[in-house]
Structures are given as C-alpha cells and as structure tokens.
Amino acid sequence: DDEICWKASEVQNIYELYAARSSMHRRIYTHPKAKAIEYMIVDALLEAEPIMQLKHTIGDAHLFTYLDDTILKRIEFAGFGFMGDNSVSNRRLSSIGAATTADAAGSAPPHFSQSMAQVHADDILANARCRLEDGGNGLEASQAILHRLRTRSIYKYVNEFVVPEEMLPHWKPVKASDVTECQSVGDGVHLTPDMIRVHNVKIDYTKKNRDPVTMVSFFTNFDDDMSYKIDADKVSSMLPRCFEERRVRVFSTSADQKVIEAVDRAFTSYQRRHIGREATIHSTPTRPAGAKRPRELYED
C-alpha cells in the first residue's frame, strides 16, 4: 500500500520519539529567553524597515541573497563611516541595493537587470536622504534595540499560564491589547500594547489533540503482507491523556521593575477574567537587591 510501517516491538519508541520532539520545543525552541531575543530582533528590523526597505527584496532572488546575518551589523554600524567617508550610503551601511548594483555591473547573473538593481538602490538612498535631513541616519531606534541586545538587557519574561484542557478546543490567541485592557484603574503605570509581547505557545504531538501513534501502522514479522494499528491501552497505562498543550507567556519590553510588576498584575487580572482563577504556577520573580546589572558594551 506504499505505507511506512514499523515493527510492533518499536511502538514504545515511537511514543518516545513524539515525546522527545515536544520536549525540545518546550525546553529549547520556545525557551523564554530565546523568544525574548527573537522579539527584539524582529522589532529592530521593523524599526529599520523604512530605511532598509527589506520587503522589496522578497520578490527578487538575487536581492534576497543579501538578507543574511550581516543585516544586524549593517544597522549597528550605520553612521560610523567605516567605509572611508560619511556619505549617505556609507553612514547607513544598509547597502543591499548598492551592493546589488555593483554585482549587476560585474558578476551578477545574466537574468538580473542592472536597471532593476539601480532602481532599488536609488529608492533606498532617496528614502535615507529624506530622513537624514534631521541629522540622523534613521536607524537610531533600531540601533537602540540592538544595543540592549548586545548588553544583555533583553525583554523581560514576566509570567505564563497553561490553558486548561477543557478550554483548548475554543481557545483564541491572546493579544497584547487583551492584557492591557485588564489593567486596573490607578495602577500607577499606564500600560500600552507596545510595552508587552505575548507569546502564544502551541505544542502537540503533530496531530493536535489526537494520539498520532493510533495512525501509525505496524507489522509483526518482516515477511508479513498485512499491517495493523495498536491501541494505546495495549502499550502502557502511563501515556498522556492529552496530546496538545497551549501556554500564554508575556514579556515586558521595559526593564523597569514597576512596569514589569504592572504587566504581571494585568496578566493576573486577565486570567481571573477569562479562566476564572489564577493559572500561573508561581508569582513573577523579582530582581534581588545587588543583582548583577546588564553589562555595558564599552566599559573601561
């Protein structure tokens, strides 16, 4: 039947394979600090978009090859004149268009148009000149985010809760505005959605809330010509009863402890309003007195 089948004696290992996958997602891929850094990189790129015009590279394969890890360095060093002078293009160092123009004149593939590259370069530089009239390079906000990232002043993980199993079928992703709307009047700090990042975590065994092993075919002997399914209750009595997990995590873009505490209170209020109780395992950890401060990038 052109179907991949497994020896019946491996059924426990199949379950462990799915369990290992979910564990890696939980402990590594969606780790709070990894997500905090990811949010900062995204925010930095969004702030740089009006100048770097990255969205224009999506439709062109050659331009797209310039979207590598050096983008963050180009943003960080824009305005330092490391290329020999302090011209508009060198001050920005967001030279996707300029580099493409050079390639088009030299080693660019035949299908890539030099006029197309020049249009991209001219558009980017024209946009930059408009913003440079005020004396800046237009990337200050993006550079500030990346400076925080380099000095380990990342977005602060506040808290999280697990969505109750009975609410999973109808649960909708939580937005930052949903949390700020639950802030109490007179809380001392006025929260806005841009001060919060919400991570809606969804981890399952690849089949939502269904047991994926019940869809796997098995055989007994290598010369068998018939496959069959194995019921979960024949494998173990210690298998999961639910194969899907949803968590809601909140981060504060500010390192101010007052803001973090305000986000925590609003998040707790959200849980009471939508779940009927506090669902967090523990309260938000506070920064102990005398704790090590974020390191400076250029310390003496």
Side-chain angles (χ1 to χ4, degrees):
D1 296 330
D2 287 333
E3 183 181 23
I4 297 177
C5 301
W6 298 86
K7 204 167 189 303
S9 59
E10 299 296 325
V11 62
Q12 189 69 57
N13 289 333
I14 300 298
Y15 273 108
E16 291 179 4
L17 178 66
Y18 284 108
R21 174 186 176 277
S22 66
S23 177
M24 286 189 288
H25 274 276
R26 187 179 300 106
R27 295 184 297 110
I28 302 172
Y29 310 141
T30 62
H31 190 281
K33 289 194 180 299
K35 290 302 297 185
I37 293 173
E38 178 181 322
Y39 283 132
M40 294 186 76
I41 292 175
V42 170
D43 287 348
L45 292 176
L46 289 174
E47 291 288 352
E49 173 59 22
I51 293 295
M52 300 191 72
Q53 300 287 298
L54 300 176
K55 63 183 179 182
H56 293 311
T57 68
I58 297 175
D60 191 290
H62 187 76
L63 283 173
F64 193 76
T65 60
Y66 289 93
L67 298 184
D68 54 21
D69 292 343
T70 62
I71 291 177
L72 299 184
K73 289 295 185 183
R74 295 175 194 174
I75 296 173
E76 287 183 282
F77 296 145
F80 286 92
F82 288 154
M83 299 299 289
D85 60 48
N86 208 29
S87 64
V88 171
S89 58
N90 288 335
R91 285 177 63 188
R92 289 169 53 255
L93 290 185
S94 55
S95 53
I96 294 177
T100 306
T101 304
D103 281 354
S107 58
H111 71 274
F112 185 77
S113 166
Q114 181 172 356
S115 60
M116 181 190 304
Q118 188 62 51
V119 167
H120 281 290
D122 290 346
D123 287 346
I124 293 173
L125 294 178
N127 195 317
R129 289 190 184 98
C130 292
R131 293 182 175 271
L132 285 167
E133 290 177 356
D134 295 332
N137 59 24
L139 297 173
E140 290 86 357
S142 181
Q143 289 173 331
I145 295 174
L146 293 178
H147 182 268
R148 284 187 57 184
L149 185 59
R150 297 299 184 191
T151 56
R152 302 298 189 268
S153 180
I154 65 175
Y155 292 168
K156 301 301 180 182
Y157 164 74
V158 178
N159 218 324
E160 68 181 69
F161 69 84
V162 177
V163 177
E165 183 179 344
E166 65 273 12
M167 293 185 175
L168 287 175
H170 309 291
W171 186 261
K172 295 181 180 179
V174 180
K175 298 178 293 185
S177 58
D178 296 333
V179 178
T180 57
E181 288 173 359
C182 295
Q183 185 181 22
S184 301
V185 178
D187 197 18
V189 177
H190 177 64
L191 297 177
T192 57
D194 63 297
M195 300 168 70
I196 299 174
R197 296 293 179 270
V198 180
H199 182 203
N200 292 279
V201 186
K202 178 180 177 293
I203 301 174
D204 56 32
Y205 274 34
T206 74
K207 294 296 182 181
K208 296 185 178 180
N209 197 22
R210 294 180 295 172
D211 182 352
V213 182
T214 60
M215 305 175 195
V216 176
S217 297
F218 296 90
F219 65 89
T220 302
N221 299 310
F222 286 102
D223 56 356
D224 290 348
D225 56 6
M226 295 292 292
S227 63
Y228 55 89
K229 310 294 184 183
I230 298 179
D231 294 332
D233 57 2
K234 294 181 179 180
V235 180
S236 173
S237 60
M238 298 178 63
L239 297 177
R241 71 175 187 275
C242 180
F243 293 87
E244 181 182 21
E245 174 185 283
R246 287 181 181 269
R247 293 174 181 264
V248 180
R249 288 175 176 158
V250 290
F251 299 81
S252 169
T253 61
S254 172
D256 188 332
Q257 190 62 34
K258 292 182 179 179
V259 175
I260 295 173
E261 292 173 356
V263 173
D264 184 37
R265 288 191 293 269
F267 190 48
T268 301
S269 178
Y270 174 87
Q271 297 165 49
R272 295 196 188 105
R273 182 179 301 182
H274 294 274
I275 299 180
R277 57 183 173 84
E278 293 185 31
T280 54
I281 298 177
H282 54 75
S283 60
T284 301
T286 57
R287 187 178 182 84
K292 186 178 179 181
R293 62 179 175 82
R295 68 184 185 183
E296 293 294 334
L297 190 58
Y298 305 109
E299 289 184 320
D300 295 332

